Amino acid sequence: METDANIVVIGAGIVGASVAYHLADIGVEGVVVLDKGGLDVNDGSTSHAPGGLRTLTRSHFFTTLGIKSRAVYDKLPLAVAGQEQFYRLGSAQVANTAERFDSHKRLHEMGMSHGIASHLLSANEVAELLPLVDPTTVYGGIHIPSAGVVNTSLLATSMRHIAEATGRAVFHGNTEVLDFDIRDGRIFGVITAGELGTIRCEKAIVCTNIWAPLLAEKAGAPMPLFPGEHQYIYTKPVPALGERALTEVTMPVTAFDDLSIYFRQHGDHLGIGSYAHEARLVDPHDLPKTAVLPFTPDDFTGAWERMQHHMPGLKETGVDHGFNGMFSFTVDGMPVMGETPVAGLWSAVGAWLSFASEVGRVMAQWMTTGDPGMDVSPAHIDRFHPYQSNSEYLSRQAKYFYEIGFEDLHPSAVASSVRNLRHAPYHQRLEALGAEYVPFAAQETPLYYKSNQRLVDKHRDAIHDRAGYHAIGWSPIMGAEHLEMRANVGLVDWSSMIGPIEVSGPGALAHLQYLCTADIDLPVGELTYSLVLNPSGGVMRDITVARMAEETWWILTGKANMPAERAYFEALAPDDGSVVYRSRAEELVGIGIWGPNSRAVLDKVTPNDISNDAFPWYTWQHLDIGMAPATAIRISYVGELGWELYVPRSLALHVWDTLWEAGREFDMPTVGTKSLLSMRIEKGYGLWGSDMTPEYPPAASRMSWTLDQTKDFHGKEAALAARVDRRIVTLRFEADEAVVYGWEPVLMNDDVIGFVAGGEYGYNVGAFLAHAFVDVDYSATGTEVEVQFTGIRYAATVVASPQFDPENVRLKS
Ligand SMILES: Cc1cc2nc3c(=O)[nH]c(=O)nc-3n(C[C@H](O)[C@H](O)[C@H](O)COP(=O)(O)OP(=O)(O)OC[C@H]3O[C@@H](n4cnc5c(N)ncnc54)[C@H](O)[C@@H]3O)c2cc1C
């Protein structure tokens, strides 16, 4: 038998139900939802989750999804009359240490920046809110009133009822999808095991959560995701709770963040969930019919003892029963959203119930308009690098994200358990200089070099020491490297940061003119800075574009996000073969050399004329460096004379050594990436992902100058029409000890008027600088504001940008 559908949704958990609900809501007809199990109680995580609804998190992405999902859950009619599905009692997080309480203060400030209320609690206030808790055993906590406890199955059922009532969506339980009809890279149908047979459709979306890798295999699409076990137990009745029906809830869902344990109330019982056990991943091929595995009591012993310590009333009861539920873990802790390499086949997997409604809305909009309408880059299906599909990498990272679930990582930390996987070709040289690394795009990338300790004394007066939290991930050497590069010259391992994507062919000019906001019809040898916009006029990426030949350009862009960016750019190219994309980022290695003496160093090792007249700013040339060919690009993210050099991988060590030797005469140091960030903020350069994002038009990021309004470009109309309520300003802090990282609220008196995008100390300017989005009414130079971090308010002033070398004298020298 064959039937037709407009869009097939596979999986009827909270995510699939939400996709169908939102598709029906925007008027899409012919939505068919299939699930291999039941509908009211599904096989998946939805029917096993205790229902902790989160709104405020340390992630902007999740917070946005959470607060919008909550608004939908809040207004859903009851799925079953008289059965509560949303207990609006908020959530609590308990701190056992002063450090954790500081992290709650930062969470509170994240809430201020997002307009989400929260209340910090003393130990006694924790006990008032949570009468079971012994206040002498805790330090404090936070209450987030907008959060709560939901009955996830009932929410999914309510969404299903509404979608069905529109007549636009039909749900079928007990209908397993076995395979797809895929031809020429496009989906034509979904093949079911049930009586529906093959359902012809042009679009389908996989919402099968932990089972997603199995269907992805059928489609030949990557799905770097593992099911992971997570324990949940029900206690016997707790006398201190009195006699209550199981459906009665009087306390917020509560996490003991330091213990990786949480609990919720089920009437006169408690349910306790624990992440405080070894991460247990399950091979998707070994999954049972439902998302549940047998309870492993030994894993729970420690958690139970700790809960009894903090809630002594539990000593009068015991564990009734428990189970190991399963849900999805990915290489970076984020869901997998977007269109798979199979045209028309989409994915919305790995999303928590807290975020599921908004995930469904975004997917409905994205599948029908091509524009997700929000910044989905953290969860974009195109974000994965090839090495991330490796099963060893995947399982290590999935375990890691299970284990760090309750940690508040320092803003300068990079969340990765995989070290020493990828290296620069001259890695041994970096090692010998005492490089301190972070994994950037899984490559060991020097933050700073311990061998540069010698420069700290030289620049001591301009470096303000840091203590406590602010000293984590910081070293005075970072300041010394910054100052030395501005005064002299520095050699930079640029190999994990930026790489070229080559775009060529007879259609390349027209394609790139449409892709880029800037005019890229340049003479061969010149380059320009440009933005790429989304259909809403938000900034998808900033890039440098160089014309390499009549029909060949290089797009220089960040390596970390390169797979997603390339996919985005390429999707806007015609598919008639007139435009060819080729990444050269693995084959060519980037080395940076910047600073007033950079020309003198480079001059020693190249026969080419690199004088200012022969090789001006914003041009590129082929140079010989020692015995190697290099493509030298005269640009700088640090605002100094210098070059990005792209050299063949096999010759990169030779080029590094040649430059290093030439630099001895100048005592040239190597400089780590952290100094580049403090130098860029002195120059007022934007950083994509914080100062420029898909959520803001160029005008909000001070980037209107990149728009060539004489031509058509992607997102132009929306960008020019966009209302700018908030825009980026540069803040200069009064106190030397001020340090902010991003998402701290900016205050005028006690009103929140914006938030910090990012900041660093400006060692040449002599003050801490930050970029912040503030309400336009407060964006004038000279406006005095405050920025709050961990409860402390720092005075800052809106200042002109850039603070360093506004005339670009150094860059043009
Ligand atoms: C113990 C536990 C505690 C949790 N705690 C929280 C929490 O506090 N807060 C929070 O936000 N989240 C929590 N979660 C996570 C949350 O429950 C899940 O992320 C969410 O329910 C996933 O919803 P889903 O619709 O993506 O997947 P699921 O509910 O798993 O639904 C997937 C559906 O796909 C169907 N399916 C699979 N393969 C096929 C096929 N081939 N054909 C047809 N149908 C198929 C399955 O039958 C299933 O119904 C918890 C989960 C568990 C298990």
Side-chain angles (χ1 to χ4, degrees):
M1 184 179 147
E2 283 203 344
T3 45
D4 285 331
N6 187 359
I7 298 181
V8 176
V9 179
I10 309 167
I14 184 82
V15 172
S18 169
V19 171
Y21 167 89
H22 287 287
L23 282 170
D25 188 51
I26 57 174
V28 178
E29 303 282 345
V31 177
V32 173
V33 187
L34 309 173
D35 199 290
K36 68 181 179 64
L39 294 178
D40 286 339
V41 178
N42 80 338
D43 282 350
S45 313
T46 296
S47 59
H48 300 103
L53 174 74
R54 304 181 71 188
T55 50
L56 176 59
T57 76
R58 290 289 298 152
S59 145
H60 168 63
F61 179 65
F62 283 142
T63 299
T64 307
L65 295 177
I67 201 70
K68 289 187 174 172
S69 295
R70 192 249 182 226
V72 172
Y73 298 149
D74 190 43
K75 64 178 180 15
L76 285 177
L78 292 183
V80 178
Q83 230 174 299
E84 191 51 78
Q85 59 195 32
F86 185 1
Y87 300 91
R88 296 166 179 81
L89 292 160
S91 66
Q93 288 170 237
V94 176
N96 286 78
T97 61
E99 290 74 28
R100 181 63 73 165
F101 192 58
D102 277 348
S103 118
H104 289 167
K105 289 181 190 165
R106 294 190 287 274
L107 185 62
H108 173 70
E109 285 152 7
M110 181 83 180
M112 290 169 75
S113 292
H114 284 81
I116 300 175
S118 66
H119 309 290
L120 292 164
L121 308 170
S122 66
N124 284 334
E125 286 167 333
V126 168
E128 272 168 41
L129 190 69
L130 307 164
L132 291 179
V133 173
D134 173 357
T136 64
T137 67
V138 300
Y139 190 91
I142 185 169
H143 180 219
I144 302 163
S146 53
V149 174
V150 296
N151 182 318
T152 321
S153 289
L154 289 177
L155 293 183
T157 303
S158 179
M159 287 183 150
R160 168 163 59 88
H161 288 167
I162 293 171
E164 284 173 333
T166 63
R168 299 183 185 119
V170 183
F171 284 65
H172 298 276
N174 303 314
T175 305
E176 185 171 7
V177 171
L178 299 177
D179 208 341
F180 303 102
D181 175 6
I182 295 169
R183 283 170 271 147
D184 300 327
R186 164 164 289 286
I187 186 158
F188 285 91
V190 167
I191 301 163
T192 75
E195 59 189 25
L196 293 172
T198 297
I199 304 177
R200 280 192 303 269
C201 61
E202 288 183 3
K203 286 181 188 165
I205 179 163
V206 176
C207 303
T208 55
N209 194 22
I210 56 173
W211 291 275
L214 303 176
L215 281 182
E217 265 173 25
K218 302 274 184 198
M223 185 56 68
L225 175 154
F226 254 111
E229 291 182 52
H230 162 58
Q231 291 203 306
Y232 192 76
I233 65 103
Y234 295 87
T235 66
K236 296 190 167 85
V238 182
L241 288 173
E243 264 189 43
R244 294 175 193 277
L246 270 182
T247 51
E248 206 180 333
V249 179
T250 58
M251 284 186 293
V253 56
T254 300
F256 281 77
D257 286 343
D258 295 290
L259 311 178
S260 301
I261 302 171
Y262 64 91
F263 73 87
R264 64 152 288 189
Q265 184 184 3
H266 300 272
D268 53 8
H269 301 53
L270 283 194
I272 301 175
S274 170
Y275 287 83
H277 59 85
E278 190 201 344
R280 295 168 183 275
L281 300 181
V282 182
D283 185 326
H285 299 94
D286 298 336
L287 282 172
K289 173 152 167 36
T290 63
V292 174
L293 285 169
F295 187 53
T296 47
D298 288 351
D299 284 336
F300 198 72
T301 313
W304 181 240
E305 281 166 7
R306 282 191 282 278
M307 284 295 92
Q308 286 180 318
H309 170 67
H310 292 293
M311 297 192 284
L314 293 184
K315 290 180 183 152
E316 293 165 37
T317 186
V319 174
D320 189 71
H321 66 282
F323 65 93
N324 287 6
M326 278 182 282
F327 52 96
S328 297
F329 292 85
T330 56
V331 287
D332 52 11
M334 289 289 165
V336 184
M337 296 164 63
E339 192 171 13
T340 72
V342 178
L345 181 61
W346 294 72
S347 160
V349 301
W352 279 30
L353 68 92
S354 302
F355 316 122
S357 172
E358 184 61 5
V359 166
R361 194 202 62 75
V362 167
M363 295 312 304
Q365 176 175 334
W366 198 355
M367 290 174 79
T368 50
T369 67
D371 179 11
M374 77 172 288
D375 179 9
V376 288
S377 48
H380 203 298
I381 193 168
D382 289 336
R383 72 188 184 277
F384 302 111
H385 294 259
Y387 58 81
Q388 291 179 310
S389 294
N390 171 282
S391 62
E392 172 68 16
Y393 180 94
L394 173 54
S395 69
R396 275 217 229 171
Q397 284 290 89
K399 276 186 184 164
Y400 171 73
F401 279 99
Y402 183 91
E403 280 156 11
I404 65 160
F406 282 68
E407 272 181 39
D408 179 19
L409 293 180
H410 191 274
S412 60
V414 175
S416 178
S417 64
V418 177
R419 300 303 304 261
N420 283 308
L421 177 64
R422 308 180 79 225
H423 298 101
Y426 35 79
H427 180 72
Q428 281 78 356
R429 303 292 189 265
L430 313 181
E431 277 289 280
L433 292 164
E436 282 288 314
Y437 307 97
V438 286
F440 191 81
Q443 179 170 320
E444 295 301 316
T445 302
L447 268 181
Y448 67 95
Y449 295 84
K450 282 185 277 193
S451 57
N452 288 333
Q453 179 65 41
R454 67 195 167 85
L455 297 172
V456 174
D457 289 342
K458 183 174 169 188
H459 297 287
R460 188 73 258 177
D461 292 348
I463 302 169
H464 185 84
D465 269 330
R466 297 188 187 182
Y469 189 81
H470 296 319
I472 297 171
W474 179 84
S475 160
I477 298 173
M478 294 165 178
E481 290 180 358
H482 169 136
L483 292 158
E484 186 65 12
M485 183 129 90
R486 286 243 192 273
N488 179 15
V489 56
L491 187 64
V492 177
D493 170 26
W494 195 238
S495 60
S496 65
M497 307 299 285
I498 302 282
I501 299 172
E502 193 169 275
V503 186
S504 60
L509 173 62
H511 161 59
L512 289 174
Q513 280 293 43
Y514 179 66
L515 180 75
C516 301
T517 59
D519 180 12
I520 56 84
D521 191 5
L522 310 157
V524 173
E526 288 194 11
L527 41 132
T528 189
Y529 176 82
S530 178
L531 303 182
V532 174
L533 305 183
N534 62 24
S536 319
V539 182
M540 283 305 285
R541 183 68 212 196
D542 66 324
I543 52 178
T544 303
V545 187
R547 192 166 198 164
M548 308 307 285
E550 199 49 36
E551 290 191 351
T552 305
W553 282 258
W554 273 13
I555 294 177
L556 291 157
T557 190
K559 278 193 169 178
N561 201 30
M562 193 176 268
E565 283 169 27
R566 178 185 163 165
Y568 187 83
F569 304 160
E570 208 169 349
L572 289 168
D575 55 9
D576 56 6
S578 65
V579 180
V580 177
Y581 268 76
R582 174 183 164 213
S583 173
R584 304 197 60 188
E586 280 300 301
E587 152 206 351
L588 297 174
V589 170
I591 298 173
I593 183 164
W594 293 292
N597 285 327
S598 59
R599 181 179 287 123
V601 174
L602 191 56
D603 204 32
K604 287 180 68 176
V605 293
T606 182
N608 305 71
D609 181 357
I610 57 166
S611 65
N612 203 20
D613 288 342
F615 197 158
W617 186 41
Y618 261 80
T619 64
W620 70 268
Q621 292 187 24
H622 292 303
L623 299 183
D624 283 332
I625 298 177
M627 290 181 279
T631 303
I633 301 189
R634 199 178 147 190
I635 46 171
S636 155
Y637 192 51
V638 298
E640 294 293 336
L641 167 68
W643 289 265
E644 288 177 13
L645 306 168
Y646 292 93
V647 298
R649 182 162 285 275
S650 59
L651 291 164
L653 175 60
H654 168 71
V655 172
W656 182 270
D657 283 346
T658 303
L659 290 167
W660 175 256
E661 281 312 314
R664 291 310 85 227
E665 182 188 333
F666 300 88
D667 195 18
M668 173 183 72
T670 45
V671 167
T673 49
K674 196 70 182 176
S675 313
L676 309 185
L677 292 176
S678 53
M679 294 173 86
R680 76 96 192 174
I681 207 152
E682 286 183 336
K683 278 295 289 174
Y685 290 157
L687 180 63
W688 186 80
S690 54
D691 309 3
M692 291 175 265
T693 81
E695 292 175 9
Y696 287 93
S701 299
R702 296 194 295 220
M703 285 292 163
S704 296
W705 62 273
T706 65
L707 312 183
D708 178 352
Q709 294 190 34
T710 64
K711 62 163 193 160
D712 189 24
F713 55 81
H714 186 59
K716 177 181 177 183
E717 216 174 301
L720 295 179
R723 229 181 79 177
V724 175
D725 297 325
R726 280 191 169 170
R727 67 183 198 90
I728 281 277
V729 296
T730 301
L731 298 179
R732 184 181 176 126
F733 286 73
E734 267 172 34
D736 265 340
E737 65 273 15
V739 179
V740 292
Y741 302 88
W743 289 112
E744 296 83 3
V746 179
L747 298 137
M748 171 64 69
N749 303 320
D750 281 334
D751 294 331
V752 177
I753 56 151
F755 62 88
V756 170
E760 285 294 339
Y761 196 81
Y763 296 93
N764 285 82
V765 169
F768 194 90
L769 302 173
H771 287 168
F773 280 98
V774 299
D775 295 349
V776 283
D777 291 349
Y778 301 102
S779 60
T781 303
T783 307
E784 292 180 358
V785 298
E786 287 181 307
V787 178
Q788 185 171 322
F789 182 78
T790 320
I792 300 169
R793 290 200 183 176
Y794 298 108
T797 306
V798 176
V799 292
S801 177
Q803 286 282 288
F804 184 79
D805 188 20
E807 305 299 329
N808 290 334
V809 174
R810 288 167 167 255
L811 284 161
K812 294 176 187 165
S813 62

